[in-house]
């Protein structure tokens, strides 16, 4: 595995791989099985797998956890190598943003709901860093976990509106055996909170069951989900919402493909989770766009 | 020459040319010798030359000449073919902007001077359409005329900040025998105005002479340029300015590479012209960035 830290070197390496199918896994590091499942899939579908690890300051608000976001470069590099990553791109902030930016990207749709409403500018930062990374890596396909389903929806919009020449692959959320979605932020849970956190996925499974059983009023389903979380955790609920997907528009009645998404705040960890359901209530675990 | 009108077909053609050096000449059509000099250079340096003709509504203000901008698709296609263009991409507005955009690009530096100050949003529109075209064409090099020197400076910023994997080549303004810069908008000049318009380039040549002779106060040089234009035309002066280049910052004393740029409004035509001078007052006619 090549570990590359500069824009110039990654450019040179990618130039050499012009004729190869490149699978790209962008991450913020502190790798867990969720990331590694993306690498596995990328390896199956490409000649060369590039992973980036970059904690992108542009997507953190002033009061968010940019400084405190967990990092472990050495372990990440070891794990990436073991998993078969060919090129690991780990640039510094100065390398990615050498001076004040003169170009701003603003996402005006799908950002006023879910995590977007409490994280203004977050998806603008995601769009900017992905634009830069896509230009540097020039992937055939880019791999994302559907745990960040709003992010996947917005990256869809970015790629399709801006005509990026690549495919997007959204893969299922990887979970602990008790159902908790794997996340770099899970390390901030206290022992008690870790046990409570099982309720997040349980509440989503409960919602799916209600939908399969015929309940079609989103407001009622949302209430039921909140009830499960409130009864089983001490976390503060940030949001529980049901939107169509990937448009992320509010709906008054269950109709078409939807996302049920939740975010809760534990003492030191804000956790998110979601499920995407087709019109008949079945789980949608893989999404592909473009190419 | 292949004439292509859809995003899907241009994608397919570009995919086939993966291993080729692609030279790209983006235009708004109504081709003149300025555009064709770009094609000539692109042919020398690449395996495949792609020209786009697209009058981009996003870069016209509500009171500007989008509807009235001169178009002649048939003649353009003939000229492009004769000149050796391999692929001519002429998409419709619907093809480039299928629905309301959710992503906005905003340029925050270098747009409050020269044409930017009287055309708010103009360069945002330029950046957006070029981002899309660069993704569709995936050029090795893109060719621009330095007549639009502010545009070239801002495209430089776009390409370097966003890490686009391509080189930018800025080539000299092509002029009529009497010095008037070739422009699609020259057709809107009355016969008398066409004669007067010679004063634009004459005023820039006068400025260069003053600088070579040792004058180093931009304000005095600007005054001299304005005097030439006022004495020899009935046009309204929009601006005359001297800025460093490509930063486009104001200067108090001549220093380093500068642009002397003018814009004047005739009855039905707003014309621009400029010269770029190195620190010793010599003309800079070719600019290259990145790659």
């Amino acid at each position: 595995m090549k570990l590359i830290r500069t824009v110039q070197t990654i450019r040179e390496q990618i130039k050499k791989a012009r004729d190869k199918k490149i699978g790209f896994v962008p991450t913020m590091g502190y790798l867990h099985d969720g990331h590694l499942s993306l690498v596995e899939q990328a390896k199956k579908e490409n000649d060369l797998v590039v992973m980036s690890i970059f904690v992108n300051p542009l997507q953190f608000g002033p009061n968010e956890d940019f400084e405190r976001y967990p990092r472990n470069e050495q372990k990440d590099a070891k794990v990436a190598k073991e998993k078969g990553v060919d090129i690991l791109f780990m640039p510094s902030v100065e390398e990615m943003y050498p001076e004040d930016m003169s170009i701003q990207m603003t996402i005006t749709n799908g950002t006023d709901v879910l995590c977007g409403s409490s994280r203004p500018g977050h998806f603008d930062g995601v769009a900017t860093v992905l634009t830069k990374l896509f230009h540097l890596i020039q992937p055939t396909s880019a791999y994302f976990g559907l745990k960040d389903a709003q992010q996947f929806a917005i990256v869809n919009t970015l790629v399709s509106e801006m005509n990026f020449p690549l495919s997007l692959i959204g893969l299922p959320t990887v979970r602990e055996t008790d159902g908790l979605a794997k996340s770099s932020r899970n390390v901030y849970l206290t022992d008690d909170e870790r046990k409570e956190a099982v309720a997040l996925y349980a509440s989503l499974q409960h919602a799916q069951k209600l939908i399969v059983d015929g309940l079609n009023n989103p407001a009622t389903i949302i209430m039921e989900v909140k009830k499960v979380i409130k009864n089983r955790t001490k976390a503060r609920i940030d949001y529980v919402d049901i939107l169509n997907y990937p448009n992320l528009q509010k709906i008054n009645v269950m109709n078409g493909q939807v996302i049920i998404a939740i975010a809760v705040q534990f003492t030191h960890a804000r956790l998110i989770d979601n499920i995407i359901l087709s019109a008949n209530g079945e789980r949608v675990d893989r999404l592909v766009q473009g190419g």
Side-chain angles (χ1 to χ4, degrees), chain A residues 158-172:
Chain A
L158 173 70
V159 165
S160 102
E161 272 192 16
M162 290 298 172
N163 303 110
F164 277 93
L166 55 89
S167 298
L168 289 181
I169 319 281
L171 295 177

Side-chain angles (χ1 to χ4, degrees), chain A residues 219-237:
Chain A
T220 313
I221 301 164
I222 290 169
M223 219 172 55
E224 288 291 326
V225 170
K226 285 185 176 172
K227 213 184 286 174
V228 174
I229 299 171
K230 276 181 194 161
N231 286 345
R232 295 178 51 180
T233 80
K234 289 187 202 69
R236 180 178 60 71
I237 294 175

Side-chain angles (χ1 to χ4, degrees), chain A residues 115-157:
Chain A
C115 290
S117 60
S118 61
R119 304 189 72 183
H122 169 68
F123 290 109
D124 301 342
V126 171
T128 304
V129 79
L130 284 177
T131 294
K132 287 169 69 72
L133 289 169
F134 288 162
H135 289 158
L136 290 171
I137 313 295
Q138 299 177 57
T140 315
S141 302
Y143 296 80
F144 294 85
L146 287 177
K147 175 163 164 290
D148 296 308
Q150 185 175 17
Q151 170 175 283
F152 188 76
I154 287 168
V155 177
N156 259 281
T157 303

Side-chain angles (χ1 to χ4, degrees), chain A residues 51-120:
Chain A
M51 174 186 274
S52 65
I53 294 184
F54 180 61
V55 185
N56 174 31
L58 233 59
Q59 73 192 65
F60 287 81
N63 298 317
E64 291 181 9
D65 59 349
F66 172 68
E67 294 296 344
R68 216 170 47 80
Y69 194 87
R71 292 160 170 93
N72 192 339
E73 283 201 356
Q74 223 170 341
K75 191 181 162 210
D76 283 348
K78 188 166 166 287
V79 169
K81 187 179 173 183
E82 282 166 10
K83 238 0 197 191
V85 168
D86 298 295
I87 295 178
L88 178 59
F89 181 48
M90 274 209 282
S92 66
V93 170
E94 293 69 31
E95 195 64 21
M96 289 300 281
Y97 304 116
E99 39 198 56
D100 280 349
M101 300 280 283
S102 303
I103 318 245
Q104 272 175 17
M105 297 186 76
T106 317
I107 317 284
T108 55
N109 268 329
T111 54
D112 55 344
V113 294
L114 308 182
C115 290
S117 60
S118 61
R119 304 189 72 183

Side-chain angles (χ1 to χ4, degrees), chain A residues 216-274:
Chain A
N216 72 356
N217 180 343
T220 313
I221 301 164
I222 290 169
M223 219 172 55
E224 288 291 326
V225 170
K226 285 185 176 172
K227 213 184 286 174
V228 174
I229 299 171
K230 276 181 194 161
N231 286 345
R232 295 178 51 180
T233 80
K234 289 187 202 69
R236 180 178 60 71
I237 294 175
D238 186 351
Y239 64 74
V240 172
D241 216 343
I242 301 181
L243 305 171
N244 62 16
Y245 191 86
N247 309 37
L248 303 177
Q249 304 296 317
K250 299 259 179 201
I251 47 175
N252 294 318
V253 63
M254 300 302 288
N255 183 17
Q257 184 168 280
V258 299
I259 182 169
I260 312 175
I262 58 186
V264 307
Q265 180 70 53
F266 286 98
T267 317
H268 296 296
R270 181 176 174 282
L271 300 189
I272 61 175
D273 202 351
N274 74 78

